[in-house]
């Protein structure tokens, strides 16, 4: 069969200049067609090129013929004879210079359905170009812009277009199906600027340079661009979620939606309520056609682009003739994106635990359909991504966040450490109010520990805590690293030392982590080290395989909390009945770290429960991106400082109510029944009927050793104060007083929210 080459021009426009009509701009495509091609066949090929539908779009074909010098005639192609002339003209008359086939199009649906209510004129083709509608009373004029858009493919899956770093811009699947894979990154992104004082607002990633705050404010402004009167913004009500009673069962010709996504969301909800399924028959940047999945059901909706991004319904048939025998419990329009948008309000509170199983249950209850666990999991991930942003975005804005944190909270110390490729390695943060409160109002005891993060890039979080006079956790510093190694702990201790400076009589308490043992004394050479009782007990249970209520655990607790050597030896002898347990405790250093073997510097630190303090801070935040994790910590610190400042201001006791005051009142009851015998002007022997106490007021000591370790009067000292009519509060350490407690929380903490969400 003999063929011929023709050139098809589209996406252009007809322009009249100096009384001459020309076809300008657009795109071109070469076709090889049979010489005997019919008009209908040529028209089908043109529809394929322009991504148009023969039943919905009217295509006009022309070609230009030179009839005289600088005079052209434009000949329409409307039947088979016109096609034959066009082929003969190209192959025989001008074989060396092709006469292009010039294509223009107009929307049948727009003409048929909208013309009754709005007068429409067009000066050129709308094929492949955006249009701006200018509305004056009842007249609408379509003015074509010069921009050229790239059309989509028929039946394309919108899930291929999803940018998972910005869920708010997602498209749902055109054909109602979804892809199971989610984009995964292999490493934290590059951090461009790490100086947290001057250069941090400027970030460089992927060759772009821009102030972070300006970037995100512009981004937020763009989201509100089309939220104007007369435009149905399908996203306006989605943040609050929706139930079936909220869905709009009808749409009408002329209704305008802010984006194609908003229109598709409305159609999805309509399909869910109506218990039918639809598929996208045609979709591009300028038009959308959806039809019912059951053919020949006449239900269909056609929309065209209105302005820059809005879409308007230009034709719709809402009558259904579907067969109810094919109704299923599953629904192709119940996509993960729609489910995520519906339930993302559940994740606004970071402390909410909302599992995929919960999503499956609520979808069945609210939508009336069932989804698989994998889709529920994907919906949960998309919802979290929409609210908190991606892990990569969190690392990208981290330096700017630290800069803003230091600006808002004077005295705050932040440090970011990167490798030779400028990738994130370590982060350190200590809020200025916490540093000042520790140095002025806390006992010099710091408990350190680390916990594993559960976000995309994992890692561990380091925490340094103190305890205020009311026995509340007082977070001092936080760090993020890869693993609990010598290098990471040394870096954290170094930055902690830079933050708090030299601290006399400092005691560091931790679990038996080898890396901590290796590095703490290199950074704090004058400090002492203690082992956490809670961790030692847990490790002993696992290593020695003890049952939950084993009596050995009771003797271990009493031995660890014994204040005297005699009492410690009594309980440890009972532990020796199980040799493997006794051997483990000796290797762990129970004799060294028990209260009976402590000196006054350790301030009774053996009972510190570091694990509880870590989990209270990180339980719900460990799965968040790094910036949101820090944001949650700052919110927690703000809450604690505010609540405890108010408690201290309203406190009427001399000592902190939950520790010092409570203990002294309990000891007063015992001291009232004791006899005091004066030994000399400084020493008094107190007879309690069990273990008498020798009190030395000069050295502030008692033979029971509680006075020295707690820095709080024991029952023997209380008895002596009663005997001498001395104010018992004067013997308590200042760390337990209401004034010191109030000073610890006197500064204010100002949170800094992550940008863009």
């Amino acid at each position: 069969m003999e063929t011929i080459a023709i050139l098809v021009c589209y996406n252009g426009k007809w322009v009249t200049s100096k009384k001459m009509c020309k076809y300008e701009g657009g795109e071109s495509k070469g076709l090889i067609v049979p010489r005997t091609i019919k008009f209908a066949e040529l028209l089908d090929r043109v529809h394929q090129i322009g991504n148009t539908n023969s039943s919905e779009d009217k295509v006009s074909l022309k070609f230009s013929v030179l009839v005289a010098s600088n005079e052209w005639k434009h000949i329409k192609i409307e039947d088979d004879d016109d096609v034959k002339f066009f082929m003969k003209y190209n192959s025989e008359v001008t074989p060396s210079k092709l006469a292009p086939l010039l294509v223009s199009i107009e929307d049948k649906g727009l003409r048929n359905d909208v013309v009754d209510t709005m007068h429409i004129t067009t000066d050129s083709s709308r094929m492949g170009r955006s249009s701006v509608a200018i509305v004056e009373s009842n007249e609408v004029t379509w003015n074509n812009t010069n921009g050229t858009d790239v059309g989509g493919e028929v039946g394309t899956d919108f899930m291929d277009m999803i940018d998972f770093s910005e869920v708010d811009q997602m498209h749902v699947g055109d054909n109602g199906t979804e892809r199971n894979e989610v984009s995964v990154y292999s490493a934290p992104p590059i951090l461009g600027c790490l100086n947290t004082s001057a250069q941090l607002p400027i970030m460089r990633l992927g060759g772009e340079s821009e102030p972070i705050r300006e970037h995100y404010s512009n981004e937020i402004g763009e989201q509100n661009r089309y939220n104007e009167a007369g435009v149905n913004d399908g996203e306006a009500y989605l943040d609050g979620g929706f139930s079936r009673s909220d869905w709009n069962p009808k749409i009408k010709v002329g209704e305008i939606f802010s984006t194609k996504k908003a229109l598709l969301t409305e159609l999805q909800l309509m399909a869910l309520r109506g218990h039918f399924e639809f598929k996208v028959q045609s979709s591009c940047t300028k038009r959308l056609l959806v039809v019912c999945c059951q053919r020949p059901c006449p239900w269909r909706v056609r929309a065209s682009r209105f302005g820059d991004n809005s879409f308007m319904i230009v034709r719709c048939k809402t009558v259904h003739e579907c067969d109810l025998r094919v109704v299923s419990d599953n629904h192709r329009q119940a996509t993960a994106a729609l489910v995520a948008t519906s339930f993302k309000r559940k994740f606004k509170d970071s402390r909410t635990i909302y599992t995929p199983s919960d999503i499956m249950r609520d979808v069945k209850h609210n939508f009336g359909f069932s989804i698989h666990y994998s889709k529920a999991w994907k919906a949960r991930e998309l919802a979290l991504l929409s609210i908190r942003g991606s892990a990569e975005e969190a690392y990208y804005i981290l330096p700017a966040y630290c800069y803003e944190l230091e600006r808002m909270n004077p005295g705050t110390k932040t440090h970011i450490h990167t490798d030779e490729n400028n990738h994130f390695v370590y982060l350190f943060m200590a809020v200025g109010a916490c540093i000042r409160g520790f140095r002025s109002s806390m006992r010099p005891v710091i408990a350190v520990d680390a916990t594993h993060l559960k976000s995309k890039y994992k890692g561990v979080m380091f925490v340094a805590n103190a305890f205020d006079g009311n026995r509340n956790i007082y977070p001092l510093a936080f760090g993020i690293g890869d693993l609990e190694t010598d290098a990471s702990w040394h870096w954290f201790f170094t930055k902690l030392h830079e933050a708090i400076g030299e601290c006399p009589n400092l005691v560091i308490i931790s679990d038996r982590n080898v890396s901590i043992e290796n590095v703490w004394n290199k950074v704090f050479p004058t400090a002492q080290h203690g082992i956490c009782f809670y961790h030692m007990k847990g490790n002993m249970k696992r290593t020695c395989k003890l049952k939950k209520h084993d009596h050995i655990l009771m003797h271990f607790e009493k031995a660890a909390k014994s204040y005297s050597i005699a009492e410690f030896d009594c309980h440890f002898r009972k532990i020796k009945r199980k040799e493997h347990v006794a051997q483990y405790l000796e290797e762990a250093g129970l004799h060294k770290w028990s209260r009976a073997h402590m000196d006054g510097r350790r301030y009774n630190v053996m009972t510190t429960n570091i694990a509880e303090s870590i989990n209270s801070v990180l339980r719900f935040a460990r799965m968040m991106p790094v910036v949101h994790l820090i944001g949650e910590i700052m919110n927690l610190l703000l809450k604690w400082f505010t609540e405890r400042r108010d408690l201290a201001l309203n406190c009427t006791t001399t000592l902190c109510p939950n520790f010092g005051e409570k203990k002294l009142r309990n000891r007063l009851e015992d001291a009232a029944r004791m006899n005091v015998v004066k030994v000399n002007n400084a020493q008094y022997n107190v007879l309690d009927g069990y273990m008498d106490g020798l009190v030395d007021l000069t050295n502030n000591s008692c033979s029971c050793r509680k006075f020295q370790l707690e820095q709080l009067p024991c029952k023997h000292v209380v008895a002596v104060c009663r005997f001498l009519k001395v104010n018992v509060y004067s013997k308590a350490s200042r760390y337990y007083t209401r004034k010191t407690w109030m000073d610890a929380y006197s500064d204010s903490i100002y949170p800094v929210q992550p940008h863009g969400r």
Side-chain angles (χ1 to χ4, degrees):
M1 179 183 297
E2 187 178 358
T3 59
I4 188 173
I6 62 174
L7 181 65
V8 179
C9 295
Y10 59 101
N11 284 356
K13 60 180 179 180
W14 290 96
V15 177
T16 302
S17 177
K18 296 181 180 180
K19 298 182 180 182
M20 294 182 61
C21 187
K22 299 180 181 179
Y23 188 90
E24 295 183 352
E27 302 176 23
S28 302
K29 185 177 181 64
L31 288 182
I32 303 296
V33 298
R35 177 185 289 272
T36 58
I37 189 172
K38 302 296 184 181
F39 175 74
E41 297 173 355
L42 179 61
L43 201 60
D44 288 340
R45 297 293 296 273
V46 171
H47 278 298
Q48 292 178 10
I49 296 175
N51 193 20
T52 56
N53 191 301
S54 59
S55 62
E56 304 295 333
D57 300 301
K58 181 179 179 181
V59 173
S60 298
L61 306 181
K62 296 181 181 179
F63 69 100
S64 299
V65 176
L66 182 63
V67 295
S69 177
N70 295 326
E71 184 178 351
W72 295 81
K73 294 293 184 182
H74 307 298
I75 302 176
K76 290 185 177 181
I77 302 178
E78 298 178 328
D79 52 29
D80 292 343
D81 291 337
D82 294 335
V83 174
K84 291 180 181 179
F85 179 80
F86 175 69
M87 294 297 176
K88 188 175 182 65
Y89 182 81
N90 268 292
S91 60
E92 298 180 8
V93 178
T94 59
S96 61
K97 184 177 181 181
L98 294 178
L101 182 64
L102 308 176
V103 181
S104 60
I105 185 174
E106 64 182 56
D107 197 326
K108 290 181 181 179
L110 184 63
R111 292 175 57 86
N112 295 338
D113 295 318
V114 185
V115 73
D116 294 335
T117 57
M118 295 183 294
H119 175 66
I120 301 177
T121 61
T122 178
D123 59 21
S124 63
S125 167
R126 295 188 302 105
M127 179 177 174
R129 297 192 308 278
S130 62
S131 302
V132 179
I134 305 172
V135 182
E136 297 179 358
S137 65
N138 294 327
E139 182 176 352
V140 178
T141 303
W142 291 91
N143 295 330
N144 294 287
T145 62
N146 293 328
T148 301
D149 300 310
V150 180
E153 296 181 0
V154 176
T156 186
D157 189 344
F158 274 7
M159 293 303 290
D160 289 335
M161 302 181 189
I162 292 180
D163 178 4
F164 283 94
S165 66
E166 195 68 46
V167 167
D168 287 339
Q169 299 177 0
M170 288 191 303
H171 294 283
V172 296
D174 275 0
N175 56 9
T177 61
E178 298 183 87
R179 302 176 68 90
N180 293 325
E181 60 270 20
V182 177
S183 167
V184 177
Y185 298 85
S186 60
I190 295 173
L191 294 175
C193 300
L194 302 173
N195 181 353
T196 57
S197 58
Q199 299 179 355
L200 281 180
I202 306 300
M203 309 294 299
R204 291 181 176 84
L205 183 64
E208 297 182 357
S209 176
E210 174 176 48
I212 282 293
R213 292 186 293 276
E214 180 182 350
H215 168 73
Y216 279 97
S217 62
N218 292 342
E219 185 179 84
I220 294 173
E222 285 293 325
Q223 295 174 359
N224 299 324
R225 188 174 176 183
Y226 284 101
N227 294 343
E228 301 173 356
V231 178
N232 181 3
D233 188 354
E235 311 217 2
Y237 64 90
L238 295 185
D239 282 341
F242 37 74
S243 62
R244 298 187 64 190
S245 61
D246 299 325
W247 302 343
N248 179 16
K250 295 181 180 179
I251 57 175
K252 58 183 181 296
V253 173
E255 189 171 0
I256 301 172
F257 295 83
S258 60
T259 62
K260 185 192 289 187
K261 176 196 169 185
L263 171 58
L264 283 168
T265 300
E266 189 70 25
L267 293 175
Q268 283 181 295
L269 297 176
M270 183 178 178
L272 289 171
R273 182 175 186 179
H275 295 280
F276 70 93
E277 297 180 347
F278 68 80
K279 63 181 179 180
V280 176
Q281 182 170 324
S282 177
S283 175
C284 66
T285 58
K286 277 163 285 301
R287 55 184 59 85
L288 173 70
L289 173 63
V290 297
V291 298
C292 183
C293 286
Q294 292 193 43
R295 305 299 292 169
C297 177
W299 185 92
R300 64 200 291 115
V301 175
R302 180 174 181 81
S304 293
R305 193 166 71 183
F306 185 88
D308 291 340
N309 295 299
S310 301
F311 268 71
M312 180 174 65
I313 304 295
V314 296
R315 187 177 185 183
C316 64
K317 295 181 180 179
T318 57
V319 178
H320 278 282
E321 297 177 1
C322 302
D323 192 340
L324 296 181
R325 290 177 296 178
V326 298
V327 173
S328 172
D329 191 43
N330 299 318
H331 201 291
R332 70 192 299 165
Q333 265 71 57
T335 62
L338 187 71
V339 173
T341 305
S342 176
F343 296 107
K344 70 179 181 180
R345 69 188 185 280
K346 299 277 190 178
F347 300 96
K348 292 289 186 180
D349 184 356
S350 62
R351 293 178 176 266
T352 299
I353 299 177
Y354 196 56
T355 65
S357 297
D358 297 330
I359 295 177
M360 295 172 65
R361 179 200 63 215
D362 289 347
V363 167
K364 182 66 175 177
H365 176 75
N366 292 353
F367 289 81
F369 295 97
S370 299
I371 60 174
H372 295 294
Y373 184 90
S374 60
K375 182 179 288 188
W377 179 88
K378 184 176 181 180
R380 181 179 180 274
E381 294 299 306
L382 292 175
L384 289 173
L385 192 64
S386 174
I387 294 173
R388 300 172 185 170
S390 66
E392 293 74 28
E393 180 184 88
Y395 284 103
Y396 180 81
I397 67 176
L398 182 59
Y401 183 88
C402 291
Y403 167 82
E404 195 67 14
L405 196 64
E406 291 183 359
R407 188 183 68 83
M408 294 289 292
N409 297 273
T412 298
K413 304 294 184 182
T414 62
H415 298 275
I416 301 175
H417 179 66
T418 59
D419 60 14
E420 62 277 4
N421 296 321
N422 208 24
H423 284 77
F424 175 86
V425 179
Y426 302 130
L427 166 70
F428 176 85
M429 180 193 75
V431 180
C434 295
I435 296 174
R436 292 188 291 272
F438 172 78
R439 293 190 59 85
S440 66
S441 309
M442 297 292 121
R443 295 175 298 163
V445 178
I446 298 176
V448 297
D449 199 5
T451 186
H452 292 280
L453 300 178
K454 299 180 180 180
S455 58
K456 181 175 180 179
Y457 292 108
K458 309 301 181 184
V460 295
M461 186 168 190
F462 308 101
V463 180
N465 291 334
F467 289 87
D468 64 19
N470 207 37
R471 291 296 289 176
N472 298 128
I473 300 167
Y474 193 88
L476 176 57
F478 300 88
I480 295 177
D482 49 358
L483 297 169
E484 286 194 77
T485 61
D486 289 5
S488 59
W489 270 115
H490 187 275
W491 190 87
F492 179 74
F493 277 128
T494 300
K495 297 306 176 184
L496 179 62
H497 184 271
E498 293 176 3
I500 65 175
E502 292 295 332
C503 186
N505 299 322
L506 179 65
V507 176
I508 297 174
I509 183 170
S510 69
D511 58 13
R512 297 181 61 224
N513 184 278
V514 176
S515 295
I516 297 177
E517 288 279 0
N518 293 339
V519 303
W520 71 269
N521 55 351
K522 298 179 182 178
V523 183
F524 294 98
T526 61
Q528 291 192 19
H529 185 223
I531 297 298
C532 172
F533 158 81
Y534 182 88
H535 281 84
M536 185 181 289
K537 178 182 176 181
N539 292 339
M540 181 185 71
K541 287 172 62 177
R542 289 189 296 270
T543 303
C544 302
K545 299 180 180 179
L546 301 178
K547 295 182 179 179
K548 184 176 181 180
H549 300 292
D550 197 306
H551 69 282
I552 292 295
L553 296 175
M554 177 192 67
H555 291 299
F556 164 76
E557 290 186 19
K558 290 186 176 181
K561 296 179 180 181
S562 297
Y563 286 92
S564 67
I565 299 294
E567 186 180 2
F568 174 86
D569 291 339
C570 176
H571 292 291
F572 196 75
R573 280 195 299 269
K574 296 177 181 179
I575 296 176
K576 286 184 177 180
R577 295 172 185 174
K578 289 190 176 182
E579 295 183 0
H580 65 294
V581 179
Q583 181 180 358
Y584 172 81
L585 292 177
E586 288 177 353
E587 293 175 355
L590 178 61
H591 288 77
K592 181 179 179 182
W593 305 120
S594 67
R595 290 177 179 174
H597 296 84
M598 286 183 181
D599 59 28
R601 286 180 59 186
R602 294 204 177 116
Y603 291 92
N604 193 12
V605 295
M606 187 64 194
T607 58
T608 301
N609 187 343
I610 307 174
E612 181 181 343
S613 68
I614 296 292
N615 288 333
S616 67
V617 176
L618 302 174
R619 180 182 176 188
F620 298 97
R622 287 183 291 174
M623 296 183 291
M624 294 183 176
V626 58
V627 169
H628 292 269
L629 169 61
I630 300 174
E632 284 296 312
I633 292 173
M634 292 299 297
N635 290 334
L636 182 65
L637 292 180
L638 172 62
K639 176 184 175 183
W640 283 357
F641 266 60
T642 302
E643 291 178 350
R644 295 169 187 176
R645 186 188 305 116
D646 293 342
L647 288 174
L649 289 173
N650 296 325
C651 179
T652 58
T653 59
T654 303
L655 302 184
C656 298
N658 294 340
F659 187 74
E661 193 73 25
K662 183 177 180 180
K663 277 184 173 289
L664 284 188
R665 292 188 180 277
N666 291 337
R667 290 169 181 177
L668 178 62
E669 183 69 21
D670 295 333
R673 295 175 174 80
M674 296 179 183
N675 295 320
V676 179
V677 178
K678 182 177 180 179
V679 177
N680 52 50
N681 290 335
Q683 295 179 320
Y684 297 84
N685 189 32
V686 182
L687 307 177
D688 62 2
Y690 173 60
M691 295 181 65
D692 299 344
L694 180 62
V695 177
D696 189 333
L697 296 181
T698 304
N699 299 326
N700 286 331
S701 64
C702 180
S703 58
C704 72
R705 303 187 74 247
K706 287 187 178 181
F707 189 24
Q708 298 93 299
L709 293 180
E710 291 183 354
Q711 301 291 296
L712 192 69
C714 63
K715 59 184 179 181
H716 304 115
V717 175
V718 174
V720 171
C721 290
R722 281 173 53 89
F723 178 76
L724 298 176
K725 297 181 181 180
V726 174
N727 184 358
V728 69
Y729 293 129
S730 64
K731 300 300 179 183
S733 170
R734 72 177 185 88
Y735 295 118
Y736 298 108
T737 63
R738 182 181 69 89
K739 182 181 182 304
T740 302
W741 186 36
M742 196 179 337
D743 290 342
Y745 299 99
S746 60
D747 283 349
S748 297
I749 292 181
Y750 300 95
V752 178
Q753 298 301 329
H755 297 277
R757 301 277 171 192

